[in-house]
C-alpha cells in the first residue's frame, strides 16, 4: 500500500493581491498532495469565475483521511472575509482575516493535522495599519510556535539563509550577537540534516562589512563577533567557512564547495538568489516543528484580478513542502 499523500495547508494571503489566484493555479497543477486551502470559499469562487477557471472546491473536514486528488480539486477550510474585497485595493478591515488564516494553519500544523504549510504573500503594511504589529510570516510562525527560527530561500541548488531578517539596515550590526548568530547557524545546520538529508552540511558564512572587514579596517564585527562564533561552532563539529567577502562568495567555484550560504542581512544575500531564481525560488522557515514554505515575491497588487500572475514560485513552494514533509531516509 502506498503511503498517504502529504496534507498541505495553503493560506491565501492578502485578499486584495494575487494570493487567491495563486491558490487556484496551484489547485490546477498535478501536485501529488492533499491540498487544503485556508481561505474564503466565496472569494475563491469569485476569483475563479473572473479568471475563467472551474475548480472543484470540496469541503474540508478535520480528521478526514488524505485521499487522491485530481488537478482542479481543492479542499477548503473556510475563513470568511471581514469586508468585501476590491482587487488591488488594500483594506485594513481584512487584516484579522489574514491573521486568522495564518493562525489556523499554524495550529493545525503544530497539532499534526497538516504535514506542511504553504503561504501566499501577505502585505505587512496593511496589517500594521490595522493596529497589529506584524513583521512577517517568519516571525509570526516563530512566535506562535514559541521557538527560534531562521529564514532560507532556495532556488534549485542555491540555498541562502539569513542571520537577520526584516530589520532596518541601521539595526543589523547590533542584532548580530554571538548568541543570535550561533542560534541561526545551529538551526540551519540541523534542518539541512533533518529536512534536506545532508549528513554533514557545508555552510559558507558571509562577513557583515565590505571585504569581510578588511582585517578590522572596515569594521570590527568580523573580529569581535563572527570569527569567534565560527571557531566555537567548528569545535562542535560544524563545517563552516568564512567569514567570506559577500562580493565574491557567490562565484561558482565557491558555491560548489558549500551546501548553503549564510548572509548577515536581508539585502546582502537575497538579491543574488532572486536574480538566479526569481519566479521559482522558495522561502523556507527553518527551526519550526513543522514544514513551512512560501513564494519568493510579494502581493503584486497591480496584477490582482488580471489573470497574469505567475504561479511558478507557489507551485515550487508546494513541491518543496511535499519533499520536506517526507524527508530522505
Amino acid at each position: 500500500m502506498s503511503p498517504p499523500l502529504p496534507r498541505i495547508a495553503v493560506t491565501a494571503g492578502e485578499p486584495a493581491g494575487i494570493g487567491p489566484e495563486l491558490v487556484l493555479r496551484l489547485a490546477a497543477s498535478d501536485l501529488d498532495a492533499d491540498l487544503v486551502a485556508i481561505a474564503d470559499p466565496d472569494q475563491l469562487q469569485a476569483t475563479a469565475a473572473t479568471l475563467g477557471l472551474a475548480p472543484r472546491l470540496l469541503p474540508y473536514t478535520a480528521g478526514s483521511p488524505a485521499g487522491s486528488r485530481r488537478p482542479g480539486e481543492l479542499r477548503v477550510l473556510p475563513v470568511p472575509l471581514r469586508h468585501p474585497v476590491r482587487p488591488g485595493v488594500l483594506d485594513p478591515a481584512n487584516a484579522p482575516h489574514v491573521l486568522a488564516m495564518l493562525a489556523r494553519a499554524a495550529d493545525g500544523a503544530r497539532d499534526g493535522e497538516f504535514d506542511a504549510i504553504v503561504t501566499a504573500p501577505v502585505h505587512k503594511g496593511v496589517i500594521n495599519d490595522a493596529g497589529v504589529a506584524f513583521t512577517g510570516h517568519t516571525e509570526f510562525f516563530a512566535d506562535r510556535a514559541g521557538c527560534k527560527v531562521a529564514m532560507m530561500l532556495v532556488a534549485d541548488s542555491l540555498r541562502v539563509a539569513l542571520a537577520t531578517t526584516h530589520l532596518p539596515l541601521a539595526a543589523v550590526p547590533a542584532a548580530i550577537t554571538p548568541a543570535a548568530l550561533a542560534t541561526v547557524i545551529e538551526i540551519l545546520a540541523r534542518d539541512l540534516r533533518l529536512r534536506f538529508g545532508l549528513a554533514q552540511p557545508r555552510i559558507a558564512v558571509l562577513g557583515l562589512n565590505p571585504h569581510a572587514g578588511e582585517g578590522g579596517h572596515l569594521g570590527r564585527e568580523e573580529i569581535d563577533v563572527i570569527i569567534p562564533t565560527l571557531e566555537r561552532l567548528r569545535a562542535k563539529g560544524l563545517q563552516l567557512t568564512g567569514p567570506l567577502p559577500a562580493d565574491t562568495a557567490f562565484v561558482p567555484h565557491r558555491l560548489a564547495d558549500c551546501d548553503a550560504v549564510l548572509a548577515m542581512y536581508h539585502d546582502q544575500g537575497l538579491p543574488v538568489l532572486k536574480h538566479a531564481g526569481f519566479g521559482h525560488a522558495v522561502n523556507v522557515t527553518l527551526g519550526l516543528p513543522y514544514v513551512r514554505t512560501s513564494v519568493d515575491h510579494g502581493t503584486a497588487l497591480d496584477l490582482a484580478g488580471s489573470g497574469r500572475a505567475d504561479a511558478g514560485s507557489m507551485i515550487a513552494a508546494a513541491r518543496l513542502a511535499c519533499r520536506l514533509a517526507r524527508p530522505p531516509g
Side-chain angles (χ1 to χ4, degrees):
M1 179 182 295
S2 58
L5 295 178
R7 175 166 286 169
I8 310 297
V10 184
T11 58
E14 166 53 47
I18 60 172
E21 177 179 347
L22 297 182
V23 172
L24 292 168
R25 299 289 185 195
L26 175 60
S29 75
D30 62 355
L31 186 74
D32 201 16
D34 181 18
L35 297 177
V36 179
I38 302 180
D40 186 303
D42 293 336
Q43 187 188 25
L44 291 180
Q45 287 285 16
T47 302
T50 298
L51 301 176
L53 301 175
R56 185 170 177 232
L57 303 184
L58 307 172
Y60 168 71
T61 302
S64 60
S68 61
R69 188 190 74 87
R70 293 177 293 178
E73 287 185 345
L74 182 65
R75 297 213 249 183
V76 182
L77 193 166
V79 175
L81 286 162
R82 302 297 180 92
H83 198 263
V85 172
R86 288 174 54 202
V89 180
L90 295 171
D91 185 347
N94 277 319
H97 159 77
V98 174
L99 295 174
M101 289 190 293
L102 301 183
R104 180 63 180 85
D107 294 349
R110 176 201 63 202
D111 297 340
E113 180 182 358
F114 306 120
D115 295 302
I117 300 171
V118 176
T119 57
V122 297
H123 194 285
K124 301 177 186 69
V126 75
I127 297 174
N128 281 277
D129 288 344
V132 179
F134 183 85
T135 52
H137 277 116
T138 301
E139 296 83 0
F140 178 92
F141 288 123
D143 288 345
R144 194 100 183 162
C147 64
K148 301 288 187 180
V149 301
M151 177 189 290
M152 182 172 77
L153 269 78
V154 178
D156 301 320
S157 62
L158 179 59
R159 306 179 185 98
V160 178
L162 302 177
T164 62
T165 53
H166 301 115
L167 290 178
L169 190 56
V172 168
I176 300 174
T177 65
L181 182 59
T183 295
V184 169
I185 292 173
E186 289 173 332
I187 290 171
L188 174 59
R190 183 188 66 208
D191 273 24
L192 288 173
R193 288 194 302 269
L194 297 180
R195 301 286 190 196
F196 289 82
L198 300 169
Q200 293 291 330
R202 303 164 300 166
I203 300 170
V205 180
L206 304 187
L208 172 66
N209 297 294
H211 301 177
E214 195 77 66
H217 295 288
L218 295 176
R220 291 195 54 87
E221 286 83 2
E222 287 78 13
I223 293 172
D224 294 340
V225 177
I226 300 175
I227 291 173
T229 301
L230 298 187
E231 289 175 347
R232 285 196 300 273
L233 294 176
R234 288 189 190 107
K236 293 172 139 184
L238 275 66
Q239 296 195 32
L240 308 171
T241 58
L244 303 175
D247 60 348
T248 56
F250 292 96
V251 297
H253 77 273
R254 285 200 179 276
L255 291 178
D257 292 333
C258 70
D259 299 302
V261 176
L262 178 67
M264 289 296 109
Y265 56 93
H266 188 280
D267 282 14
Q268 184 185 54
L270 297 194
V272 178
L273 182 133
K274 292 190 178 185
H275 173 74
F278 192 74
H280 67 270
V282 179
N283 184 348
V284 184
T285 304
L286 307 176
L288 291 170
Y290 50 82
V291 173
R292 179 261 167 169
T293 66
S294 186
V295 296
D296 67 345
H297 56 75
T299 53
L301 297 172
D302 57 321
L303 296 179
S306 70
R308 294 184 289 116
D310 184 347
S313 182
M314 187 72 166
I315 294 171
R319 292 194 189 283
L320 182 57
C322 290
R323 180 160 71 86
L324 297 182
R326 301 286 190 268

